[in-house]
Amino acid sequence: MKDGFISVACGSPRIHLADCARNAEETFTLMRKAEKAGVKVLVLPELGLTGYTCGDLFYQETLLRGAEEALATVLEATRNLEVVTAVGLPVRCNNKLYNCAAIIQKGCILGVVPKTHLPNYSEFYEKRQFAPAPAEGDFITLCGQEDVRFRALQTFACTEVPGLVLGFEICEDLWAPDSPSVKMAQAGATVIGNLSASNDLIGKDQYRRQLVTMQSAKLLCGYVYTSSGEGESSSDVVFGAHQLIAENGTLLAEKRFEGGLLISEIDVQRLCYERRRTQSFADLSWEEKYEHTFSLTMGKTKLTRYIAPMPFVPEGKGDRDQRCQEILLIASLGLKQRLEHTGAKTAVVGLSGGLDSTLAVLITGLALKMLDRPMTDIVAVTMPCFGTTDRTKNNAVILAERLGATLKTVDISASVRSHFKDIGHDMADHSVTFENGQARERTQVLMDVANQTGGLVIGTGDLSELALGWCTYNGDHMSNYAVNTSIPKTLVRHLVAYLARDNQDKDEDLTVVLEDILDTPVSPELLPAVQGNISQKTEDLVGPYELHDFFLYYLLRWGFSPSKIYRLAMDAWGKKYDRTVILKWLKTFYRRFFSQQFKRNCLPDGPKVGSVAVSPRGDLRMPSDASMNLWQSELDSLE
């Protein structure tokens, strides 16, 4: 719980219809299993202590008394259990009968929540036996406990975990247009539990799944949905024990036609960050609160939820291809608009034979096709120098030729030597001056070629490089429009691979050169080659981009602390990298991220394509001289 993860569970015990004593036993047995598994919040089915399908038996005093006795039994049997549990039962109040959720912990009833919206259509006839939740609440005595709050829209806040606030609604409440969960979320609830008895029909599970996930997205909350299953009457319908756990639009866990527990973890810290970030949510806060408090023992929550190692890259091929299509469309539309607005005659791209410049020239080609302009309007400039290998140079040339671009080769070796002579730099000194001198000369060439041809220089640097500051200030850092500026390195590779497979002209030679570019090590090629091979590999110097993209996503998208990012990275990458390697590169990431902000503060324009971007005009307004001490202190504690 220190990192904000709260273990939650759906529970679907076997129902013994109208046998309240046996249902009580099933209930506390499941609660004990949940407690043993470290679960802190458990949601059980609607009317679980009686069974949902009792019909007119709900009129019987014997059944109602049996339900209350069953709750008392559960309270006594679980008086030492910390798990906060929502139990369904019928409750009498002011000569009316209500379909309710009793929220219990350590043998105490924290509150009773009546159902607001009662279905009375098709197979449902709840208004025959039950009344909807009253507009005004009340206090009742239940199981010998006095002054138990009885009303809808109650919330339950944990005193030890800031932001952990629970709310509960029942079945149809979710399906209604004015779900109680909306007001509870506005009042601060971050985790909503739903006690349900939703029968199964063809296609209904898909609709139910959409409701749960979209409600969690709309309310920026965790949503724990439990439906009844085996044991309910099958006279006319079947109940499939559908269990769903969702968080902010993502389905974390699901089970159907199977009883027992379904466990996952809700990241309350993440939800609170998103609510703070999304000001429109705060503007809708609902001040009429009916809040209780409860306590939990602090400890480290075991993670069972899946942590994607590459959060920027969808794992399914279909989703990944769709993501690639959208990114290419957004980026090329942005460049199309810029070329139209400026009246540029050409688009000048420095081609190195590497991944980033390849993606940039491919996006440029898509933009020109949208404008119905010839590919010759792309001026592809190769600028070999001391570190250029035949492989990358040849790939750049072939790529330009296959695209039909205007190819221009400018060997910058003599210019750089002359510059080094002017400033008194020894050619044998391969320091940062040696590297940056080449990068800035290339940018000067590109800018001058753009002036010659009436064009714009198209930037090639990607999001990952910008985050690390792995670019030469006023060198490859600068352009007239940067099409890759919000595309992370892990996704650049997939975009090029997608275009290699699906190039519109089905050009086999183009596919071959793109595949070879994909196989080429990432390198700025600023140090002399060794026996014709690349001697300078970026990931040997700054670390694996797959790790840095992981760090970047959780730092900027969710505002996570170094310790939490480290924990998640260990979960996602621990089988490939040991903890010392992950920590080493995490420290490198933070050091470079803070020290290199001055480069991001003067970025050229470029299109935002995803939820993480570093433009100073949009997503990242950060001082260049901010202290890293707080983050460094936490990193040091991870030794």
Side-chain angles (χ1 to χ4, degrees):
M1 290 185 290
K2 180 181 178 181
D3 291 331
F5 290 107
I6 304 299
S7 181
V8 300
C10 306
S12 186
R14 193 190 194 290
I15 298 297
H16 304 275
L17 204 55
D19 190 341
C20 300
R22 292 186 69 187
N23 289 332
E25 185 178 352
E26 296 277 2
T27 296
F28 66 65
T29 297
L30 212 51
M31 289 175 65
R32 289 170 180 169
K33 288 181 179 178
E35 177 88 2
K36 187 175 181 180
V39 172
K40 300 301 180 184
V41 180
L42 173 63
V43 181
L44 298 174
E46 179 180 12
L47 295 171
L49 289 182
T50 57
Y52 177 78
T53 50
C54 286
D56 284 353
L57 291 179
F58 284 118
Y59 292 135
Q60 298 293 313
E61 174 68 23
T62 301
L63 182 66
L64 300 180
R65 187 171 60 248
E68 184 170 342
E69 290 172 354
L71 180 60
T73 299
V74 170
L75 291 170
E76 177 60 25
T78 62
R79 64 185 182 278
N80 295 320
L81 300 189
E82 187 173 81
V83 57
V84 178
T85 306
V87 180
L89 77 162
V91 174
R92 290 171 285 190
C93 179
N94 297 327
N95 295 316
K96 292 182 180 179
L97 185 63
Y98 297 92
N99 179 346
C100 294
I103 315 305
I104 64 174
Q105 184 197 40
K106 295 180 179 178
C108 295
I109 304 173
L110 303 180
V112 173
V113 179
K115 188 173 183 178
T116 299
H117 299 283
L118 304 182
N120 221 53
Y121 55 85
S122 299
E123 60 267 40
F124 301 106
Y125 295 95
E126 283 191 37
K127 288 184 179 179
R128 181 179 174 93
Q129 293 96 21
F130 298 104
E136 298 295 329
D138 207 337
F139 289 92
I140 62 173
T141 297
L142 185 62
C143 298
Q145 297 185 26
E146 298 179 348
D147 296 326
V148 174
R149 187 184 291 276
F150 176 89
R151 70 166 300 132
L153 306 176
Q154 298 184 63
T155 57
F156 305 83
C158 179
T159 55
E160 291 78 16
V161 184
L164 176 56
V165 182
L166 310 178
F168 298 90
E169 59 186 2
I170 302 174
C171 200
E172 187 75 8
D173 289 342
L174 170 63
W175 301 63
D178 57 338
S179 302
S181 53
V182 174
K183 286 189 171 66
M184 287 187 286
Q186 291 171 346
T190 51
V191 178
I192 303 294
N194 186 308
L195 302 78
S196 181
S198 181
N199 63 298
D200 278 85
L201 303 169
I202 293 173
K204 189 175 181 181
D205 65 306
Q206 182 178 357
Y207 187 63
R208 192 188 292 124
R209 187 180 305 112
Q210 290 173 339
L211 274 178
V212 168
T213 53
M214 289 310 299
Q215 193 76 343
S216 75
K218 176 181 177 181
L219 302 182
L220 304 178
C221 72
Y223 203 100
V224 185
Y225 177 97
T226 305
S227 187
S228 57
E230 186 178 4
E232 290 286 6
S233 175
S234 61
S235 296
D236 295 296
V237 295
V238 171
F239 294 83
H242 200 177
Q243 301 178 46
L244 299 154
I245 301 175
E247 176 189 291
N248 194 22
T250 298
L251 186 63
L252 300 179
E254 178 179 17
K255 189 163 65 171
R256 191 170 173 232
F257 294 118
E258 181 184 355
L261 293 174
L262 177 70
I263 300 174
S264 190
E265 299 79 41
I266 300 294
D267 190 345
V268 174
Q269 201 175 81
R270 177 173 174 164
L271 294 170
C272 291
Y273 170 84
E274 190 71 344
R275 288 185 176 186
R276 291 193 303 271
R277 191 182 72 91
T278 310
Q279 291 297 316
S280 57
F281 189 93
D283 291 343
L284 297 173
S285 61
W286 189 61
E287 298 299 332
E288 191 177 357
K289 297 181 180 180
Y290 304 92
E291 188 173 86
H292 309 260
T293 59
F294 63 93
S295 295
L296 292 174
T297 302
M298 296 296 288
K300 188 173 182 179
T301 302
K302 179 182 177 181
L303 290 184
T304 62
R305 60 187 279 173
Y306 176 65
I307 308 298
M310 293 191 182
F312 290 112
V313 183
E315 296 189 344
K317 183 181 181 301
D319 291 338
R320 191 164 56 245
D321 285 353
Q322 183 180 9
R323 178 75 54 86
C324 289
Q325 289 173 9
E326 289 191 24
I327 289 173
L328 292 168
L329 180 60
I330 292 169
S332 54
L333 279 171
L335 179 55
K336 169 183 176 287
Q337 166 74 10
R338 184 53 53 98
L339 292 171
E340 281 184 312
H341 176 71
T342 59
K345 296 178 182 178
T346 65
V348 179
V349 184
L351 272 192
S352 67
L355 274 175
D356 289 342
S357 64
T358 296
L359 179 60
V361 79
L362 292 171
I363 289 172
T364 304
L366 293 172
L368 288 179
K369 285 183 179 179
M370 291 177 177
L371 292 167
D372 198 25
R373 287 172 56 173
M375 291 298 104
T376 51
D377 285 353
I378 300 175
V379 179
V381 186
T382 65
M383 293 165 284
C385 198
F386 313 127
T388 304
T389 61
D390 289 341
R391 179 182 187 182
T392 54
K393 180 181 177 181
N394 291 338
N395 280 342
V397 170
I398 295 169
L399 176 60
E401 291 175 345
R402 299 318 304 170
L403 291 175
T406 299
L407 178 63
K408 190 176 184 68
T409 300
V410 180
D411 190 320
I412 65 169
S413 303
S415 298
V416 174
R417 282 193 179 93
S418 176
H419 174 62
F420 286 165
K421 182 180 179 181
D422 291 341
I423 66 172
H425 184 77
D426 188 345
M427 283 294 296
D429 179 1
H430 293 169
S431 63
V432 66
T433 303
F434 184 84
E435 296 186 44
N436 286 349
Q438 297 170 70
R440 292 194 179 100
E441 179 61 25
R442 284 178 172 139
T443 300
Q444 175 175 283
V445 168
L446 293 173
M447 291 292 182
D448 291 344
V449 170
N451 290 158
Q452 281 182 327
T453 60
L456 295 179
V457 175
I458 310 305
T460 60
D462 63 50
L463 175 64
S464 307
E465 292 178 342
L466 290 168
L468 294 168
W470 189 250
C471 52
T472 299
Y473 192 81
N474 204 34
D476 54 311
H477 159 263
M478 191 47 59
S479 65
N480 296 130
Y481 195 74
V483 292
N484 295 346
T485 191
S486 65
I487 304 175
K489 186 74 79 176
T490 47
L491 201 47
V492 168
R493 180 169 296 278
H494 286 283
L495 288 163
V496 174
Y498 171 77
L499 289 170
R501 293 194 316 267
D502 301 302
N503 65 82
Q504 295 178 358
D505 299 324
K506 302 301 178 185
D507 185 334
E508 292 300 324
D509 291 333
L510 177 60
T511 297
V512 169
V513 72
L514 291 178
E515 289 177 344
D516 193 61
I517 289 170
L518 285 163
D519 289 335
T520 304
V522 177
S523 172
E525 290 193 313
L526 296 173
L527 296 180
V530 176
Q531 296 180 341
N533 295 318
I534 292 172
S535 64
Q536 185 184 26
K537 297 180 181 179
T538 298
E539 291 182 292
D540 290 344
L541 300 170
V542 296
Y545 275 116
E546 58 191 11
L547 284 181
H548 286 311
D549 281 359
F550 186 91
F551 303 152
L552 175 65
Y553 176 79
Y554 284 107
L555 172 71
L556 290 189
R557 181 61 185 89
W558 298 108
F560 286 174
S561 65
S563 59
K564 186 166 183 176
I565 294 174
Y566 177 58
R567 182 187 180 187
L568 294 177
M570 284 299 302
D571 191 272
W573 288 105
K575 292 182 179 179
K576 184 173 181 178
Y577 302 102
D578 65 34
R579 62 174 56 250
T580 58
V581 172
I582 291 175
L583 184 55
K584 170 189 173 181
W585 295 123
L586 181 61
K587 289 181 176 180
T588 297
F589 171 81
Y590 271 97
R591 175 178 57 80
R592 295 193 65 95
F593 182 81
F594 272 84
S595 67
Q596 301 295 298
Q597 176 61 24
F598 72 97
K599 295 180 182 178
R600 297 188 290 270
N601 271 352
C602 55
L603 284 176
D605 290 356
K608 178 181 177 180
V609 301
S611 59
V612 175
V614 293
S615 168
R617 297 169 295 278
D619 291 73
L620 187 61
R621 294 168 178 84
M622 173 180 166
S624 301
D625 48 5
S627 172
M628 184 188 160
N629 287 345
L630 283 173
W631 291 264
Q632 187 64 57
S633 177
E634 188 169 331
L635 286 165
D636 291 342
S637 72
L638 300 175
E639 297 287 358

